[in-house]
Amino acid sequence: MSPNTTTTVTKPYVLGIDIGGTNTVFGIVDARGTVIASSSIKTGKHDNFEDYINELHEKASALIKAHDAEGKIYGIGIGAPNGNYYTGRIETQVNLPWPCPIELTKIVTEKFGVPSAVTNDANAAAIGEMTYGVARGMKDFIMITLGTGVGSGVVVNGSMVYGADGMAGELGHVIVRRNGRQCGCTRCGCLETYCSATGVARTAREFLEARKDEPSLLRNMPMEDITSKDVYDAAIANDKIAKDVFEFTGRILGEALADFASFTSPEAFVIFGGLAKSGELIMRPLRDAFERNNMPMHKGKIKILLSELKESDAAVLGASALGWEAK
Amino acid sequence: MSPNTTTTVTKPYVLGIDIGGTNTVFGIVDARGTVIASSSIKTGKHDNFEDYINELHEKASALIKAHDAEGKIYGIGIGAPNGNYYTGRIETQVNLPWPCPIELTKIVTEKFGVPSAVTNDANAAAIGEMTYGVARGMKDFIMITLGTGVGSGVVVNGSMVYGADGMAGELGHVIVRRNGRQCGCTRCGCLETYCSATGVARTAREFLEARKDEPSLLRNMPMEDITSKDVYDAAIANDKIAKDVFEFTGRILGEALADFASFTSPEAFVIFGGLAKSGELIMRPLRDAFERNNMPMHKGKIKILLSELKESDAAVLGASALGWEAK
């Protein structure tokens, strides 16, 4: 997992690539987790995957050259939606414009002449957290990423859990409300329909609908335009409905984490992503519900931590950490 | 994990001890999982733990001597309620007459002069299944034991998951019905309040109560005396209410397993214990609900297997397998 001293003398860097639906961010990272340099390209610009890889290779090579890192890249780590560590592929199409599966690591390794490894974005975040973040030194923790969806990465005994098929750790799709909200995964009531950024906006619309007579700052905009950021702004301005939305979101997440604790009895949960920046608005009800719903043996023992990775660097850092184990 | 050839030449056996609330069963087991000999003592007979250990030592030593196994025991593996692999202790009192924590492995190792290791009974069952049962060769699976309660053991990448504190894998206490049935763990709606033997009896009483006008063989006995065995007998005799009880139980378990699959993406679930013997009565609704509730990427891919370990030997076998890794 962690960089080896001998190799880092001659190849002291890794390249981290985070493939998102909108942007692909990449950066050169050293063994201490310093992002030496980073840049990005538009993921969606290329309908053709080959064109995309060509641009990525060109821009990343230029970055490497500009920072005197040619021949000094030990490995390439990639975070990608539905990235499978075992097969090296992007298995199924989620937010990406190309037909799947894509033989990602095979193509990247050929192109760059450097070993590469891929995993999904939440696992990459967990590896980043374990290598450079608040989970340094922890052997058992669970990463929860709150973004457009809810992702997770489970670390057991110091190792990432990939499961039998490389696709473990989909805690955003644990059903928290039987017959609840329709999820993009075809099922109903998944955690991510409640505790993602889109889940927060959905809750706000439900509350506004159900409490028609109650005034709210959120009524100043068309219902369908409401985002989690709008709900946050309203809550900060002391809007009752907006505050209740965060209360509800935090409670559902806290209840879910208490169940997850029964699984691997982790030392901590690490929370990352846009919603985590709502701070105590979500963290207080989350912690309350977590402790209230924990088994007696877990009460007061499991930490809920916020990621300390700089968000602008986190995706690249997480992906890059995987570069040290690329073969 | 598996017996080492060199050591087995001189010390070809392990001693497996299963500490249950009523009986303590122990047996001498060889590297192929053959129970050479086994015996038992009454757990509850001794109010004093020292008396209990003295009798266990005496009887087990006699068994070892009688089978020419003196000096040939490589290690002792113990399954016990709330047994903690890391600390070697029974942490908290569940169904046992002695004050806890108990320094179990320390005392057993001193007494027998042989290294020992302990874990909880469901983890021991998982290790037994991996070493001698249907999970041989599997690196990722989840053991579910359906007894008086619901236990579980999670295996990831070929290793037992113990968690940060040695107490991982309490899936019987995942909440499957928010504000549901009162559980012995202080919380409400835990899986084990529905899918254990006692849960089945509880469901039967609820159904009889709710469907007062419907005849049932289960009305031939006092409500409070109904056991899961009675429900089974009635279901086999084609009793509608009894069959619905198994339908309900299987469905809740299937839904829960689909959620558990999102966690570690296992190759299989292995089901063990009294209720598993109800066969298709519980397995058909279980499999149906599992597939219906699985994420698309898991559908049709994860096996649900019944343990093939002989039940009379299983507890001792499971515990004994841990003896090979005692240090």
Side-chain angles (χ1 to χ4, degrees):
Chain A
M1 178 66 50
S2 54
N4 172 299
T5 321
T6 318
T7 56
T8 53
V9 173
T10 48
K11 298 197 170 186
Y13 304 128
V14 281
L15 182 69
I17 303 175
D18 179 67
I19 305 180
T22 311
N23 295 309
T24 294
V25 188
F26 50 92
I28 304 164
V29 179
D30 73 12
R32 293 182 168 196
T34 310
V35 179
I36 306 292
S38 67
S39 184
S40 69
I41 63 171
K42 291 279 170 207
T43 309
K45 205 179 90 183
H46 302 285
D47 291 343
N48 185 314
F49 182 72
E50 207 182 323
D51 294 344
Y52 165 79
I53 278 291
N54 285 338
E55 188 189 355
L56 177 63
H57 178 240
E58 187 190 316
K59 296 282 165 62
S61 298
L63 192 75
I64 289 167
K65 194 167 179 185
H67 290 83
D68 190 27
E70 277 177 301
K72 295 180 185 168
I73 303 291
Y74 181 77
I76 300 173
I78 314 167
N82 278 333
N84 185 326
Y85 180 74
Y86 291 149
T87 63
R89 294 196 296 229
I90 299 177
E91 295 289 354
T92 46
Q93 205 167 351
V94 181
N95 303 326
L96 295 178
W98 319 297
C100 288
I102 295 168
E103 296 288 349
L104 187 66
T105 57
K106 189 163 169 285
I107 294 167
V108 166
T109 297
E110 273 172 20
K111 208 76 190 168
F112 286 82
V114 169
S116 67
V118 66
T119 190
N120 73 45
D121 30 3
N123 286 351
I127 295 170
E129 213 61 60
M130 181 163 52
T131 316
Y132 307 118
V134 289
R136 259 177 306 182
M138 283 189 198
K139 299 187 83 174
D140 296 88
F141 73 98
I142 297 177
M143 183 87 197
I144 303 285
T145 62
L146 305 174
T148 315
V150 173
S152 70
V154 181
V155 173
V156 162
N157 207 15
S159 297
M160 198 69 230
V161 174
Y162 292 112
D165 58 359
M167 304 300 273
E170 287 290 348
L171 301 184
H173 295 284
V174 165
I175 292 174
V176 295
R177 289 291 181 273
R178 206 51 62 188
N179 306 313
R181 294 179 182 170
Q182 180 65 49
C183 182
C185 80
T186 74
R187 294 140 72 246
C188 290
C190 294
L191 179 63
E192 90 168 23
T193 65
Y194 296 91
C195 298
S196 60
T198 44
V200 164
R202 223 162 148 173
T203 304
R205 283 191 286 270
E206 277 184 21
F207 282 19
L208 289 167
E209 192 71 41
R211 294 153 69 171
K212 278 199 186 330
D213 299 333
E214 200 177 325
S216 167
L217 295 169
L218 295 168
R219 299 199 192 276
N220 299 340
M221 62 192 86
M223 279 272 248
E224 62 278 15
D225 291 352
I226 294 173
T227 66
S228 61
K229 176 69 167 60
D230 298 322
V231 185
Y232 173 77
D233 290 341
I236 288 295
N238 214 24
D239 185 87
K240 178 78 171 76
I241 288 187
K243 287 197 294 183
D244 286 354
V245 170
F246 280 101
E247 190 78 31
F248 176 82
T249 309
R251 177 159 62 80
I252 292 193
L253 187 55
E255 290 171 358
L257 297 193
D259 278 339
F260 300 166
S262 309
F263 221 104
T264 56
S265 208
E267 181 177 345
F269 289 93
V270 181
I271 316 286
F272 176 81
L275 268 188
K277 287 187 292 184
S278 315
E280 285 304 296
L281 272 175
I282 193 166
M283 292 302 285
R284 190 195 42 72
L286 193 172
R287 278 193 221 97
D288 285 357
F290 179 66
E291 286 303 331
R292 207 169 46 244
N293 286 277
N294 252 333
M295 293 182 65
M297 69 176 191
H298 287 149
K299 277 189 202 294
K301 290 189 186 156
I302 301 176
K303 297 186 272 284
I304 299 196
L305 305 172
L306 287 170
S307 165
E308 289 172 1
L309 293 182
K310 241 174 76 188
E311 203 179 358
S312 55
D313 289 344
V316 163
L317 265 183
S320 78
L322 195 61
W324 296 112
E325 50 181 284
K327 281 189 270 279
Chain B
M1 180 67 47
S2 53
N4 173 299
T5 323
T6 319
T7 56
T8 54
V9 172
T10 47
K11 298 199 169 182
Y13 304 129
V14 281
L15 183 68
I17 303 174
D18 179 67
I19 305 180
T22 312
N23 294 307
T24 295
V25 189
F26 50 92
I28 304 164
V29 179
D30 73 10
R32 292 180 169 199
T34 311
V35 179
I36 306 292
S38 66
S39 184
S40 70
I41 63 170
K42 292 279 170 207
T43 309
K45 209 179 87 183
H46 303 284
D47 291 341
N48 185 313
F49 182 72
E50 206 182 326
D51 295 344
Y52 165 78
I53 277 291
N54 285 338
E55 188 189 355
L56 177 63
H57 179 241
E58 187 190 315
K59 296 283 165 65
S61 299
L63 191 75
I64 289 168
K65 193 167 181 186
H67 290 83
D68 192 26
E70 277 177 300
K72 296 179 185 168
I73 303 291
Y74 181 77
I76 300 173
I78 313 167
N82 278 334
N84 185 327
Y85 180 74
Y86 291 148
T87 63
R89 296 196 295 228
I90 299 177
E91 294 290 353
T92 45
Q93 206 168 350
V94 182
N95 303 325
L96 295 177
W98 320 296
C100 288
I102 296 168
E103 298 286 349
L104 188 66
T105 56
K106 189 163 170 284
I107 294 167
V108 166
T109 297
E110 272 172 21
K111 207 77 190 167
F112 285 83
V114 169
S116 67
V118 67
T119 190
N120 73 45
D121 31 3
N123 285 351
I127 295 170
E129 212 60 60
M130 180 162 53
T131 315
Y132 307 118
V134 290
R136 260 178 305 181
M138 282 188 199
K139 299 186 84 174
D140 295 270
F141 72 98
I142 297 176
M143 184 88 195
I144 302 285
T145 62
L146 305 175
T148 315
V150 172
S152 70
V154 181
V155 173
V156 163
N157 206 15
S159 297
M160 197 70 229
V161 174
Y162 293 111
D165 58 358
M167 303 301 272
E170 288 291 348
L171 301 185
H173 295 284
V174 165
I175 292 174
V176 296
R177 289 291 181 273
R178 206 50 61 188
N179 306 313
R181 295 179 182 170
Q182 181 64 50
C183 182
C185 80
T186 73
R187 293 140 73 248
C188 289
C190 293
L191 180 63
E192 89 168 24
T193 65
Y194 296 90
C195 298
S196 60
T198 44
V200 164
R202 220 161 150 176
T203 304
R205 283 192 285 272
E206 277 184 19
F207 281 21
L208 290 167
E209 193 70 42
R211 293 153 68 173
K212 276 198 188 331
D213 299 332
E214 199 178 325
S216 167
L217 296 168
L218 295 168
R219 300 201 191 275
N220 299 339
M221 63 193 85
M223 279 272 247
E224 61 279 16
D225 291 354
I226 295 173
T227 66
S228 61
K229 177 70 168 60
D230 299 322
V231 186
Y232 173 77
D233 290 341
I236 288 294
N238 214 25
D239 185 88
K240 179 75 171 79
I241 286 186
K243 287 197 296 184
D244 287 353
V245 170
F246 280 101
E247 190 77 33
F248 176 82
T249 309
R251 178 160 60 82
I252 291 191
L253 187 54
E255 291 171 356
L257 297 194
D259 278 339
F260 299 167
S262 309
F263 221 104
T264 56
S265 207
E267 182 177 343
F269 288 93
V270 181
I271 316 286
F272 176 81
L275 268 188
K277 287 188 291 185
S278 315
E280 286 303 297
L281 273 175
I282 192 166
M283 290 303 284
R284 191 194 42 72
L286 193 172
R287 277 194 222 97
D288 286 356
F290 180 65
E291 287 302 333
R292 210 169 43 245
N293 285 276
N294 253 332
M295 290 181 69
M297 70 176 191
H298 288 147
K299 278 191 199 297
K301 290 189 186 154
I302 301 175
K303 297 187 273 281
I304 299 196
L305 305 171
L306 287 169
S307 166
E308 288 173 1
L309 293 182
K310 242 175 76 188
E311 202 178 358
S312 56
D313 289 344
V316 162
L317 265 184
S320 79
L322 196 61
W324 296 112
E325 50 181 284
K327 282 188 270 280

